[in-house]
């Protein structure tokens, strides 16, 4: 039901909303010099960090060399689109350390691969 929370567009939308809120409060602060707008800015920045930090730590937590090694695991398959989609989902879901420590034969991981494969193969609305 809440699959949209994991999408890139949701996170980009949140970033835009946070930037709009901060810029509005900055404008109001410079117009009125009221201290309450500074508090709003600090709270908005704090909430933005709290909301967006998990996204950045998982997605940015992979170095390019680590991604290349991960992608090379799929090089022997014929379906490069599926392979690339699975890799991107893995990069977003797990940090590199979590992925290395992960039991690849566990039912939770197998379920993740199955669901992600179905999502990747689904053409969706477009």
């Amino acid at each position: 039901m809440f699959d949209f929370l994991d999408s890139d567009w949701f996170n980009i939308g949140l970033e835009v909303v946070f930037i709009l809120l901060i810029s509005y409060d900055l404008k109001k602060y410079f117009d009125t010099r009221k201290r309450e707008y500074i508090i709003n800015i600090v709270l908005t920045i704090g909430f933005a960090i709290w909301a967006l930090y998990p996204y950045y730590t998982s997605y940015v937590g992979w170095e390019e060399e680590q991604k290349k090694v991960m992608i090379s695991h799929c090089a022997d398959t014929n379906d490069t689109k599926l392979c690339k989609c699975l890799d991107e989902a893995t990069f977003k879901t797990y940090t590199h350390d979590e992925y290395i420590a992960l039991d690849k034969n566990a039912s939770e991981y197998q379920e993740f691969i199955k669901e992600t494969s179905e999502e990747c193969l689904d053409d969706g609305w477009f």
Side-chain angles (χ1 to χ4, degrees), residues 2 12 14 34 56 60 76 92-93:
F2 295 106
I12 292 169
L14 272 179
K34 288 186 178 179
Y56 286 114
V60 182
D76 57 344
K92 290 179 188 178
T93 306

Side-chain angles (χ1 to χ4, degrees), residues 55-99:
Y55 167 73
Y56 286 114
T57 55
S58 66
Y59 196 66
V60 182
W62 290 75
E63 297 175 9
E64 288 302 318
E65 295 170 6
Q66 295 167 338
K67 286 184 178 182
K68 287 179 186 175
V69 170
M70 173 73 180
I71 291 171
S72 69
H73 289 302
C74 274
D76 57 344
T77 63
N78 292 334
D79 194 355
T80 56
K81 179 183 173 187
L82 175 64
C83 184
K84 187 179 259 187
C85 183
L86 284 172
D87 288 342
E88 286 297 318
T90 303
F91 298 150
K92 290 179 188 178
T93 306
Y94 302 105
T95 62
H96 184 258
D97 295 333
E98 289 173 345
Y99 182 76

Side-chain angles (χ1 to χ4, degrees), residues 17-114:
V17 167
F18 289 133
I19 289 171
L20 288 174
L21 290 172
I22 291 169
S23 61
Y24 175 77
D25 283 336
L26 279 171
K27 180 185 176 300
K28 285 294 196 177
Y29 173 73
F30 287 121
D31 290 346
T32 63
R33 298 287 182 193
K34 288 186 178 179
R35 190 178 158 112
E36 67 188 45
Y37 293 109
I38 296 293
I39 294 171
N40 287 351
I41 292 168
V42 170
L43 289 174
T44 304
I45 291 172
F47 185 70
I49 291 170
W50 176 78
L52 297 172
Y53 181 75
Y55 167 73
Y56 286 114
T57 55
S58 66
Y59 196 66
V60 182
W62 290 75
E63 297 175 9
E64 288 302 318
E65 295 170 6
Q66 295 167 338
K67 286 184 178 182
K68 287 179 186 175
V69 170
M70 173 73 180
I71 291 171
S72 69
H73 289 302
C74 274
D76 57 344
T77 63
N78 292 334
D79 194 355
T80 56
K81 179 183 173 187
L82 175 64
C83 184
K84 187 179 259 187
C85 183
L86 284 172
D87 288 342
E88 286 297 318
T90 303
F91 298 150
K92 290 179 188 178
T93 306
Y94 302 105
T95 62
H96 184 258
D97 295 333
E98 289 173 345
Y99 182 76
I100 296 298
L102 187 67
D103 180 14
K104 309 298 187 289
N105 296 322
S107 61
E108 181 179 313
Y109 180 72
Q110 295 300 324
E111 184 177 327
F112 165 75
I113 293 294
K114 181 182 174 195

